[in-house]
Amino acid sequence: MQLKTLNGDVAKAVGRGDGQARALSDLLVRDTPVAYAFIAPAFFLLLFLVAYPFVLSVWLSLSDARVGETGSFVGLENFQRLLTSSIFLQTLQNSIIFTAAALGAKTVFGMALALLLFRIGRFKRLIRGAVLLPFIVPTALSTLVWWWMFEPLYSVVNWTLKSLHIVSRDIPWLPDPYLAMFTVVLVNTWRGLPFFAITILAGLVAIPRELYEAAESDGAGPVSRFWHITVPLLKPVLGVVILFSAIFTLADFNIVYVLTKGGPMNMTHLFATYSFALGLQGGQISQGAAVSLFLFPILLIVVFTQLRMVRRATTYE
Amino acid sequence: MNSAARWARRIRPVFTLYVPVTPFVLFALFPLYFMLVTSFKKNAELYDVNAVPFLIGRGVTFGHYELLSKDTLFWSWFLNSLIVSLAATVISVVLGVLAAYPLARLKFPGANSFGVAIFVTYLVPPSLLFLPLSTVVARLGLSDSLWALVVTYPTFLVPFCTWLLMGYFRTVPKEIEECAMLDGCNRLQTLVRILLPVAVPGVICAALFAFTLSWNEFLYALVFVSPAELKTMTVGVFSELIRGDIYYWGGLMAGACIGSLPIVVAYVFFLDYYVSGLTAGAVK
Amino acid sequence: MTRLSAPTVLNSRRVSRRRFLGTTGAGLAGVLASGKAPAIAQTRELTFLSIASFVPETDKELKRQLDEWGAKNKVKVRLDIIAHLQLQTKKAAEVQARSGHDLTALGPGLGDADLYYDYLADLNDVAADVAPKSGGWLNPNDYLIRGKWKLLPWWQPPFPMAVRTDLLEQLNEKNPDTWEDWLRIGKKGKAIGHPFGTAMGHSGDANVTLLSILWSYGGSYVGKDGRTITINSKETRQAMDFVKRLYTEAMDPEVLAWDDASNNRCLNAGKCIAIHNPISAYESAKKDKVLVPGTQREIAEVVDHINTPRGPADRKATTGFWCVGIWNFSKNQDLAKDFLRYHFQPDNQNKWVDAGHGFNMPFLTNLTKHAVYKSDKQYRFIPEVAKVTVPPSWPGPTTAASQQVWDLYIIPDMFAQHATGKMTADQAIAWAEKEMQEIYAGRKRRP
C-alpha cells in the first residue's frame, strides 16, 4: 500500500514533460483569477460581517470598553486581572474539566457507536435516524427538557432510580457541585454524540475491506485489527472531528446557562457563561471579552497545527 | 456447516450488535420521548409529584398544542424560521460550492491562508461576536427584519459548508473535469455541469447541516429581530411561554415537538445522502 | 389553563412579511449605497420593549393603553415583549448599535441606569409631572442615579412569606414573625417531610432573600456612600450562622440549584411549608386548581401570605425594581415622554394594577392603597411589605457596581459556601469582600 499526495501527481506529470501535462499546468496558472472570482463572494461576506466584528472583539478584550463606549487601550490588563479572580480561575478549571470529559466521552462512545452502526444491517435507517435526533432537535428547547428531567422535585431520573430501588433518596444532580458538572457533561455528550458517531462512521466506511481481509489472513485478531488498521486510518477524521468539537464545546453557553447558570457556587461556570455574567449583565464588556478570548492564542496554534496535518491530502493506492 | 453453527451465526449479531446499540438508542431517544409525553399531559398530572413521569395516566390533552396554536403567534414564528433557514441555507451552500471548488481543485496563492482563515472565524464565540455584529446590522439598516438573519447566518454556515464540500470535491476523480475542459468548457461550466451532478450527496449533506444550524440558532434571532410577528420559532416560544417565574412546560414541550418536525422530516428523506456525503467529505 | 391572547395583527403581519419578501431587496441596495438606515418619512412612530409579565393580562393592558394613546396622537406604536432573562442581552446590543427601541424596560434592578447612564434620557420633568397626582413617589431618593432621574421606577413584586396554614396548625405554631421563628418551624416541618425553602443558588430569589436576612441581622455589604465595602462585620457573621443553621436544619440541599420558579413549584407540589416569594405561586395554584397531595382540597385555600420576617436588628426586604427608560439615541424622545405621562396617570395605573391582580405594584404612594390589595385576604400584607422594601444596594445608592454584585450572585455564593461547609465564615466573608472590592475598584470613574 502506498500513500501519495495529490501534489505529487501533478509534480510527476509536469516533470514528465508530456504535452498533456503541460496543458494541465498551463490551465493551473491561468486559473488564479478564476479561483479568486469563485472565492470572492464568500471572502467578502466573511470580510465584512466577520472580520470587522472579530477585530472589534479582540480590541474589546484589550481595552477598558463598556457597552457602547469604545474605551481606550489597556494592553493585557484585563487578562492580568482575570488571573487574580478566584471566580475566573474556577471557571478556567471548570472549562478544562468540562471539555476534556465531554470530548473523551464523545470520542470513546462515538467510536463505539460508529463501529456498531457500521456493522448493523437491519433497521439501518431507523437506528441511524434515531441516533441522530439529539443533534437535530433545537438546542435551546432540548436543554429545557433535560433541565426538567433533573429538576429537584420532578426529576424523572430520580423517580426511576428510586422505583428501581437503586437509591433511596433523591440524588442532588444540580445542587451538588460535582454532580452538576457531571450533569452538564452528560447533556453535552448527549447532544454531540451523533455528530461524532456519524462522522467516524463515514471514516470507517472509507477504509478498504482488503486491508482487513489481508490482516485477517495474516492471523490478526479483531482487537489487533482495530488498533493497527482502523485507528491509524481514522486519524484524519478523528483529528478534524475533535478539533471542531473542542472549539464548540469550549464555547458552549446554552447548557450551563439553562441548567445551572454557572452555579452552584460557580462550580460549573464556563467561559461563555462567565463572560455573559461579567460582560453583558455587568456591562464590563472588555472583561467579558477577555474571558471569552482567554484561550484564543492557544486555540489558534491548535487550529494551525491540526489543519496542517489534515490538509496534507492523502490518497490510498 | 451444521445447523447449530448456522443458528449461532444468525443469533450472534443480536448480542454483539443489537443489544449493545440499544443503550445508545435509548439514551438518544429518551429525552425526546419525555418531551412528547409531557406535551400531551394535563397540567394537574404534570405537576403532581406522585404521578408516573413516563406515562400519561390521566388522559391525553391537546390543550398545550391548542394554546400554542391559537393563543400565540406560533405558526408565524414557524414560518419565519422556515423562510430564514431556507434562505440562509441556499446562500451558504452556493457560496460554499463556489469557494470549495478552487480550494479543492486549483492551486493559487493564498489558498492555504484562506483555508485556515475560514476556521479562525469560529474561534470567537457568538456570545461575544453578536455585540459588534449588532452594530454592523444596525448600520446596514437591517435591524428588526428577517434580512438581518438571512445575512448573518451564512457567517457561521459558510465556513463549515466550504470545508465539507472541499473534502467532498477532492474525492471526485479529476479526469472527467479535465476531459471537459480540454473539450473547451470553462471552469464555471465544468463546475455546474460536470462536478455538481456527481457531488449531489455532498451538497445535500452541506444543505442539511446548514438548515439544522439555522433552524436551531437562537442568539442572533433574539437580538436582531424584535417585532412579535417576525420572531423565529425558538425565540417566540421562549418569550411567550416563560413569564417571570412561571414556565408553561406543556406549551414549551409542544413547541419543541412541532419545532423539531421539519428537520426530522428532512433527515428522514435525506439520511442516506447525509451519511454518504460525510463519507467522502470527511476523509479526504 | 392560562389563556394567552395573541395580538390580532393579521394585516400588519402580512404586510411586514410581504414587505420583506418584496421590496427590501431594492431597499437594501439603496441602503448600502447611501450608507445609513432609511428614514421612514412622515409617520410618527414609537416602539417599546418590555418583558413578558408573569400575569399575561398586564401585557395586554399595557398594549391597550399604548394603542389607545397612539390612536389619540396619531402615532404608530409597537410593543415588543421578550422573556426577562433575555432583556440584558437585547439591551446591550441596542446600546452597542445605538439603535433599537425608544422606550425600554430596565431591570431587574435600578443598576441598569448607572450602567447605561450615558444612553438614557433625563426624566426629571416626567417624574415631577407624574408624582403629585398619585401621592408622590414612595422613596424618591432611592430612584435617583447620580442625583438624576434617568428612569421611572415602574413596578415591583413585593416578597411576603407564603405559608401552609394547615401544616402550621399541625405543628402547633401561630403567627411566626421573625427569621428565628421560621428556622424553628422549618426544622419541625423538615422532620415531617415539609422543609422550609429558599433559593441559595444563582437566581434572583436567592439575592432577594439572603439580602433581606443580611439586613434583618443588621449587616450590609456597602456603606451609605455607595463605595465602602462593609461586609466584614459581626452582624454579617450572625447572619451567616443563622443561614447555616437554616440550611442544615430546616432545608433540603436542593435549594442550592433552585432557580426563580423552584420555590413556586415546591410550595405548589405540597412539599415546602413556607417560601419567601411574591404571590405568583399562589396565583398559579389558584388557576391550575392544584390540590394538596392526597386530598381533594385546593392548596390555594390553605396558603396564607404574611409579612416578610423581622430579624434582631430590623425588618427589611428587597425585590426586583423594574423600571422604564428612554434611550437618548431614540428619535422620538418627546413622544416617549408623552406616553409615559399618559401611562403613569392615576386611572391608567389603576387599570394596570388591576390587570396584574396586585402582582405588579407601582412605586406611587396612592397606588399602594389600591383596592386590589383588599380584594383577596392573601394580599393584605403586600402594602406592608412594600413599606420595608429597599433597593438591593441599600444603604448605598444604586450604582453599576452594586448591580454587578447582584448579577454575579456574590451574596448567595458567600452564604452558600459557608452553609455547605466549603468555607469557614471568615473565609467566606473574606472571599466576598475581595470579590466586591474588585468589582467596586473596576468601577472608578475616569476623570
Side-chain angles (χ1 to χ4, degrees), chain B residues 15-264:
Chain B
F15 289 107
T16 55
L17 289 181
Y18 292 94
V19 166
V21 93
T22 314
F24 285 105
V25 173
L26 287 178
F27 181 57
L29 289 184
F30 180 68
L32 305 173
Y33 165 74
F34 193 66
M35 188 169 92
L36 194 67
V37 163
T38 307
S39 71
F40 286 112
K41 260 196 198 174
K42 295 203 180 124
N43 266 347
E45 189 184 353
L46 195 55
Y47 296 119
D48 182 351
V49 205
N50 296 318
V52 177
F54 298 106
L55 308 169
I56 305 182
R58 300 193 209 149
V60 168
T61 173
F62 289 98
H64 302 300
Y65 287 92
E66 272 176 36
L67 181 84
L68 209 54
S69 225
K70 297 212 205 106
D71 287 348
T72 67
L73 293 173
F74 183 75
W75 295 111
S76 284
W77 301 331
F78 190 84
L79 195 60
N80 294 333
S81 279
L82 208 56
I83 295 176
V84 168
S85 300
L86 283 174
T89 302
V90 167
I91 295 179
S92 309
V93 171
V94 167
L95 290 185
V97 164
L98 283 178
Y101 184 63
L103 287 173
R105 289 288 189 236
L106 311 176
K107 286 195 72 61
F108 57 95
N112 271 329
S113 329
F114 189 70
V116 174
I118 286 185
F119 255 90
V120 172
T121 63
Y122 282 132
L123 291 184
V124 180
S127 49
L128 172 62
L129 203 62
F130 83 93
L131 262 187
L133 196 54
S134 62
T135 318
V136 174
V137 166
R139 268 200 222 133
L140 287 175
L142 298 176
S143 288
D144 291 338
S145 97
L146 292 179
W147 274 106
L149 303 180
V150 173
V151 160
T152 50
Y153 279 8
T155 59
F156 58 84
L157 296 175
V158 164
F160 191 80
C161 288
T162 308
W163 172 79
L164 191 71
L165 288 166
M166 198 163 87
Y168 196 82
F169 286 168
R170 281 219 184 99
T171 72
V172 178
K174 294 199 295 182
E175 288 73 40
I176 41 175
E177 288 170 63
E178 285 159 8
C179 285
M181 287 200 302
L182 290 172
D183 281 346
C185 286
N186 66 21
R187 282 290 177 186
L188 186 61
Q189 289 168 322
T190 317
L191 172 64
V192 175
R193 295 216 214 118
I194 311 288
L195 185 55
L196 272 188
V198 177
V200 160
V203 172
I204 292 187
C205 180
L208 275 179
F209 249 117
F211 188 80
T212 309
L213 290 177
S214 305
W215 187 264
N216 295 349
E217 204 283 331
F218 186 79
L219 186 58
Y220 291 177
L222 169 74
V223 172
F224 298 150
V225 179
S226 309
E229 66 277 5
L230 289 181
K231 288 187 189 167
T232 57
M233 196 205 58
T234 18
V235 174
V237 166
F238 259 73
S239 59
E240 275 296 310
L241 298 178
I242 299 183
R243 294 178 164 272
D245 51 0
I246 301 291
Y247 287 63
Y248 292 86
W249 283 108
L252 285 168
M253 294 300 107
C257 285
I258 304 183
S260 313
L261 273 182
I263 319 200
V264 170

Side-chain angles (χ1 to χ4, degrees), chain A residues 28-47:
Chain A
L28 283 173
V29 169
R30 252 194 293 133
D31 280 324
T32 308
V34 177
Y36 286 150
F38 274 42
I39 293 210
F43 178 73
F44 283 114
L45 174 83
L46 293 179
L47 185 68

Side-chain angles (χ1 to χ4, degrees), chain C residues 101-361:
Chain C
H101 295 77
D102 302 304
L103 284 159
T104 179
L106 295 169
L110 299 160
D112 271 355
D114 191 38
L115 184 60
Y116 296 121
Y117 187 80
D118 299 323
Y119 303 99
L120 288 168
D122 276 349
L123 294 175
N124 293 334
D125 45 353
V126 183
D129 285 345
V130 159
K133 296 187 216 138
S134 300
W137 297 102
L138 276 179
N139 290 309
N141 287 325
D142 281 348
Y143 323 126
L144 296 179
I145 309 293
R146 296 188 225 166
K148 282 202 192 169
W149 286 92
K150 282 287 185 175
L151 43 66
L152 290 186
W154 197 12
W155 61 275
Q156 53 169 327
F159 270 67
M161 191 67 93
V163 59
R164 288 275 302 277
T165 51
D166 54 337
L167 293 174
L168 266 193
E169 255 182 63
Q170 211 180 320
L171 295 174
N172 258 322
E173 290 276 352
K174 32 159 78 89
N175 299 328
D177 196 40
T178 67
W179 284 106
E180 281 290 340
D181 286 338
W182 289 108
L183 171 58
R184 188 183 64 246
I185 292 176
K187 202 165 158 188
K188 286 196 205 170
K190 185 168 170 177
I192 59 169
H194 293 283
F196 187 75
T198 186
M200 285 183 59
H202 281 199
S203 67
D205 281 357
N207 266 320
V208 167
T209 309
L210 292 169
L211 274 174
S212 307
I213 296 181
L214 182 66
W215 293 329
S216 301
Y217 275 77
S220 68
Y221 72 87
V222 71
K224 260 204 158 115
D225 59 358
R227 277 201 291 265
T228 330
I229 310 292
T230 56
I231 190 89
N232 199 345
S233 70
K234 178 164 61 82
E235 289 81 9
T236 307
R237 281 178 178 72
Q238 275 186 323
M240 299 261 283
D241 282 332
F242 170 74
V243 170
K244 186 177 175 107
R245 280 186 299 143
L246 189 68
Y247 173 76
T248 44
E249 297 168 23
M251 302 205 287
D252 275 347
E254 65 187 56
V255 299
L256 285 176
W258 272 11
D259 72 339
D260 285 339
S262 303
N263 55 359
N264 297 40
R265 281 198 285 273
C266 193
L267 186 73
N268 288 347
K271 180 172 175 189
C272 278
I273 188 173
I275 58 174
H276 193 219
N277 202 55
I279 56 174
S280 45
Y282 166 71
E283 289 292 321
S284 56
K286 248 196 323 191
K287 270 202 192 91
D288 289 339
K289 297 208 187 347
V290 179
L291 302 171
V292 178
T295 73
Q296 287 301 315
R297 220 158 77 182
E298 279 195 25
I299 208 168
E301 289 168 21
V302 290
V303 164
D304 193 19
H305 292 82
I306 59 183
N307 208 349
T308 182
R310 186 166 47 88
D314 203 355
R315 184 194 308 269
K316 255 192 176 34
T318 184
T319 178
F321 278 58
W322 286 96
C323 316
V324 62
I326 305 178
W327 295 123
N328 65 4
F329 47 77
S330 148
K331 300 190 183 46
N332 305 299
Q333 290 179 42
D334 289 325
L335 286 179
K337 285 190 186 176
D338 201 48
F339 174 68
L340 281 183
R341 289 193 185 91
Y342 183 75
H343 175 62
F344 276 87
Q345 273 172 23
D347 47 326
N348 277 331
Q349 285 286 290
N350 273 318
K351 291 196 197 121
W352 189 65
V353 171
D354 237 346
H357 301 300
F359 179 74
N360 47 326
M361 172 184 275

Side-chain angles (χ1 to χ4, degrees), chain A residues 231-254:
Chain A
V231 173
L233 289 179
L234 278 182
K235 278 218 186 100
V237 180
L238 276 178
V240 175
V241 160
I242 293 183
L243 178 67
F244 256 120
S245 185
I247 296 179
F248 285 113
T249 306
L250 268 175
D252 193 69
F253 175 79
N254 189 270

